[in-house]
Amino acid sequence: MEETRPELEELQSIRERSTSAYTRLYTLLLRVAEAQPVASSATLNLFTGAIDRADTSLR
């Protein structure tokens, strides 16, 4: 068990980062959907920024 502790902790960290990124993206996607037919450029910029951050943090 002790041999795998670092790997398990890393997996936990990955799960937490993934959940956080997904939650941000989902919240922003809801904002975009609610703003239909046209979302503001500020909302779209937040959305694309969240995608970029999620992509970077999950690599």
Side-chain angles (χ1 to χ4, degrees):
M1 179 73 170
E2 286 302 314
E3 300 98 30
T4 61
R5 185 173 303 277
E7 288 81 4
L8 292 173
E9 289 173 354
E10 179 65 19
L11 287 173
Q12 177 68 20
S13 175
I14 291 168
R15 185 190 68 80
E16 290 170 1
R17 289 193 325 262
S18 298
T19 300
S20 177
Y22 176 79
T23 301
R24 279 193 309 274
L25 288 172
Y26 182 75
T27 301
L28 287 168
L29 184 58
L30 283 176
R31 282 190 191 172
V32 170
E34 290 169 352
Q36 290 300 319
V38 178
S40 71
S41 62
T43 299
L44 294 175
N45 287 337
L46 284 172
F47 189 65
T48 56
I51 291 171
D52 291 341
R53 282 188 301 281
D55 184 48
T56 299
S57 72
L58 297 176
R59 287 182 184 218

